[in-house]
Amino acid sequence: MAYQSITDQQLRLYMTDLKNHSQCTSAARAGFSERTARRFDADPTPPSQRKIVHGRTVSDPLEGYWENDILPVLENDNALQAVTLLRYLQGLHPLAFPDDRIRRTLERRVRQWRALKGPERDIIFRQTPEPGYMAQSDFTQAAELEVTISGAPFPHLLYHFAMVYSRWEHVGVVLGGESFTALAENLQHALWSLGGVPQNHRTDSLSAAFRNLTRDECEDITKRYEAFVGHYGMDASRNNRGEAHENGAVESQNRHLKKAIAQALILRGSRDFASVAEYRRFIDILVARRNRQRTQAVEVEQMYLKPLPPRRTTDYTEVIVPVTRMGGFRVKSIFYSAPSQLIGQRLRIHLYDDRLDAFLGSTLVATHPRGRGRNDGHRVHVINYHHVIHALKRKPQALWSSIYRDSLFPRTEYAQAWEVLQHSLPRRDACRRMVALLFIAHDQACEAELAHLLADDLGSGLIPDPKSLAAQITPKHTALPKDVVVSHPSLDSFDALLEARA
């Protein structure tokens, strides 16, 4: 018990017990420490008659320096930290402040000054959510989930859409960065999954979507986003830069979502998925399970949502590219293959987050998974071997030094077969065999089956032979019956069916 809180009654009890007991025992019976007892032995004045003196017990180490040196610069810019002010003092008075001994005192003094005389601070006004009024979107990093695809690291973002009132959510896996395409595509999926349109859609500043863009490109994306929300009849709003709490409904759910995904991955027993599609199904099932817990609130909210428009709107970036003599086209420094018949034509490309569709007029002529640039300076090629196999069959030796040779193989088994062929056979024979294998996969539509056969041969230490492999996958010819008898039912049977129905 503190020395100042001792009562007169405790002191009288202590003094009485002291006649028959030791100092330690008497103090314990009175309810205070032996140290306090020694103080009363030295000065037996009752506590009620003591005058409590408030004030410093040591001299102020900042006396004279606070008013003259620190306060002027702090009032000029209150963002200065205490440690910066300490270094400033040490520069002015190196002998008075040779070390950081007064750092805690200075931090306490600055904190007290800000509380009493500092500038006004922003206040967060909590809002009562209105059903059907606001939805919020955000992108969040997913590296902490440590997800892999076929054993390879899978860097990606999660697009998170949340209704403020019901907390209904939609989650999309984003392969690239924060972009208008990723936002528009996933937001459109969310609205159609929800079955209605909120009055207001809020995002953060979307600074990442505008990074490295020219002013004209930024204005173009802004106009496209305004057209997008206008198509759905929503009001678009953005929270102020650095004020994440203004997008708080989805920001807070980001943490809960990633925690739920991490827990589900633990229960699954593995963080590795065979494909991106399998990982997306995993996310969709988890989110659907979370939304089932919000059914009642969603039913209330859906009564206030605006109806969806008759059709969807553009949620991709469109570019026009020519098909070159190299049998492909280039989009954002990535080379994509195209059917050779399209050389010299100009294609209209619909660029999504995870794929691109190529159109000649209104006809879809090619679809590719979207390629991403590498940080090591190597060019990236996205090649569909079906587009080039006929030209390659006429020029098999072109395979050896082709710049997109390693991107040509549709499966890892084909790449492994090429490694064996180029080390085991002369260049001419290796190219011919590899091209023959690709042509078999194309001509007989047996890419997966041939890959399994290649794996068996490679596992047995055999050099892949196209003729023997083709013989194993060629379908057996079966003889058709010469005479086929077809019996026609009588018309009376139909009358019987109609009578039975009547």
Side-chain angles (χ1 to χ4, degrees):
M1 184 177 292
Y3 178 67
Q4 291 84 357
S5 61
I6 305 300
T7 63
D8 291 357
Q9 184 179 1
Q10 288 176 290
L11 179 58
R12 288 194 296 270
L13 178 59
Y14 167 72
M15 300 301 292
T16 302
D17 288 345
L18 196 59
K19 298 176 181 178
N20 301 315
H21 302 283
S22 65
Q23 184 186 64
C24 180
T25 303
S26 300
R29 287 167 60 88
F32 50 78
S33 66
E34 187 177 358
R35 180 182 178 184
T36 302
R38 288 196 295 271
R39 291 184 178 181
F40 281 124
D41 289 346
D43 183 8
T45 304
S48 60
Q49 300 178 15
R50 293 176 181 269
K51 184 177 181 181
I52 301 176
V53 179
H54 298 281
R56 300 186 61 88
T57 57
V58 296
S59 59
D60 183 5
L62 294 175
E63 185 176 359
Y65 302 103
W66 174 261
E67 293 81 3
N68 299 330
D69 299 323
I70 299 177
L71 205 54
V73 295
L74 192 58
E75 290 176 342
N76 182 55
D77 192 339
N78 62 83
L80 288 171
Q81 297 179 346
V83 66
T84 305
L85 295 171
L86 176 58
R87 299 292 178 258
Y88 175 69
L89 271 180
Q90 290 172 336
L92 293 177
H93 310 284
L95 297 179
F97 304 101
D99 51 34
D100 294 355
R101 192 174 304 175
I102 66 164
R103 176 174 175 174
R104 299 291 178 246
T105 301
L106 186 57
E107 288 175 343
R108 184 172 59 253
R109 190 75 61 85
V110 171
R111 186 167 56 248
Q112 184 180 15
W113 178 85
R114 287 199 175 105
L116 297 177
K117 299 182 180 180
E120 293 285 340
R121 302 183 63 180
D122 287 337
I123 297 176
I124 297 176
F125 295 93
R126 298 193 62 180
Q127 303 290 300
T128 301
E130 302 177 32
Y133 176 70
M134 179 174 285
Q136 296 181 355
S137 291
D138 191 29
F139 292 91
T140 181
Q141 290 285 345
E144 62 198 73
L145 300 176
E146 299 179 350
V147 172
T148 58
I149 303 296
S150 298
F154 181 53
H156 66 288
L157 301 177
L158 293 176
Y159 165 82
H160 198 180
F161 172 94
M163 295 298 298
V164 175
Y165 176 79
S166 63
R167 306 189 76 80
W168 183 91
E169 61 187 347
H170 174 85
V171 179
V173 177
V174 177
L175 306 186
E178 298 183 27
S179 64
F180 167 77
T181 301
L183 174 66
E185 183 179 0
N186 286 283
L187 173 56
Q188 192 153 227
H189 290 334
L191 295 177
W192 285 83
S193 297
L194 178 61
V197 180
Q199 181 175 336
N200 188 283
H201 176 245
R202 169 163 289 188
T203 64
D204 59 14
S205 60
L206 293 179
S207 58
F210 295 89
R211 190 174 298 150
N212 299 326
L213 298 181
T214 64
R215 182 173 181 178
D216 291 340
E217 290 173 328
C218 291
E219 292 178 354
D220 178 60
I221 289 181
T222 301
K223 292 178 181 178
R224 290 166 61 193
Y225 178 66
E226 291 174 352
F228 180 92
V229 295
H231 176 80
Y232 284 94
M234 295 186 297
D235 298 326
S237 63
R238 294 177 181 173
N239 60 302
N240 295 309
R241 188 182 299 274
E243 302 293 340
H245 65 271
E246 295 180 358
N247 214 21
V250 69
E251 290 279 358
S252 63
Q253 279 188 246
N254 282 344
R255 299 190 301 271
H256 299 302
L257 170 68
K258 288 192 282 189
K259 186 176 181 180
I261 295 175
Q263 293 294 304
L265 289 170
I266 294 173
L267 288 177
R268 183 175 180 269
S270 172
R271 296 176 184 266
D272 186 63
F273 295 84
S275 63
V276 177
E278 181 183 348
Y279 176 52
R280 281 179 166 149
R281 284 194 298 271
F282 170 81
I283 295 294
D284 290 342
I285 293 172
L286 174 65
V287 172
R289 190 182 304 124
R290 286 165 57 87
N291 283 334
R292 279 198 296 267
Q293 303 172 5
R294 305 159 178 148
T295 303
Q296 293 182 351
V298 173
E299 290 176 351
V300 173
E301 187 146 58
Q302 285 179 330
M303 294 187 297
Y304 294 88
L305 295 175
K306 295 187 289 186
L308 290 164
R311 59 177 179 81
R312 296 194 177 203
T313 186
T314 301
D315 56 1
Y316 51 81
T317 300
E318 184 174 290
V319 293
I320 306 296
V321 295
V323 181
T324 67
R325 290 295 303 273
M326 293 180 61
F329 52 89
R330 194 177 299 278
V331 177
K332 292 188 178 294
S333 302
I334 308 296
F335 181 84
Y336 298 88
S337 65
S340 60
Q341 300 92 326
L342 298 175
I343 291 177
Q345 300 290 336
R346 294 179 67 83
L347 302 182
R348 183 164 45 89
I349 307 300
H350 292 180
L351 190 62
Y352 296 88
D353 173 66
D354 60 346
R355 72 186 191 282
L356 62 79
D357 296 333
F359 291 85
L360 179 63
S362 60
T363 304
L364 178 65
V365 293
T367 296
H368 285 288
R370 184 169 175 179
R372 305 290 176 185
R374 293 168 51 172
N375 296 325
D376 55 7
H378 289 279
R379 292 284 186 180
V380 177
H381 305 86
V382 180
I383 308 298
N384 185 336
Y385 74 100
H386 296 287
H387 295 161
V388 299
I389 187 60
H390 290 286
L392 200 58
K393 190 172 184 293
R394 293 191 297 270
K395 305 175 184 178
Q397 302 307 310
L399 177 67
W400 186 272
S401 301
S402 174
I403 61 173
Y404 52 69
R405 182 193 63 203
D406 295 336
S407 304
L408 185 67
F409 305 123
R411 295 171 183 260
T412 56
E413 292 84 358
Y414 292 85
Q416 293 168 358
W418 170 246
E419 291 293 328
V420 172
L421 289 173
Q422 68 175 342
H423 288 98
S424 304
L425 299 175
R427 174 185 297 193
R428 191 178 188 84
D429 294 337
C431 291
R432 284 181 174 178
R433 287 203 185 190
M434 191 66 240
V435 172
L437 290 173
L438 291 173
F439 185 78
I440 292 171
H442 162 78
D443 189 53
Q444 301 189 26
C446 58
E447 179 184 305
E449 183 182 358
L450 182 58
H452 291 306
L453 295 176
L454 285 172
D456 293 339
D457 283 359
L458 295 174
S460 303
L462 301 176
I463 299 176
D465 182 19
K467 292 182 179 180
S468 63
L469 292 171
Q472 298 180 51
I473 61 177
T474 301
K476 297 180 180 180
H477 297 284
T478 56
L480 297 176
K482 295 181 179 180
D483 299 324
V484 179
V485 179
V486 178
S487 60
H488 298 281
S490 65
L491 297 178
D492 296 338
S493 61
F494 291 96
D495 294 335
L497 288 174
L498 292 174
E499 291 175 0
R501 180 176 180 84

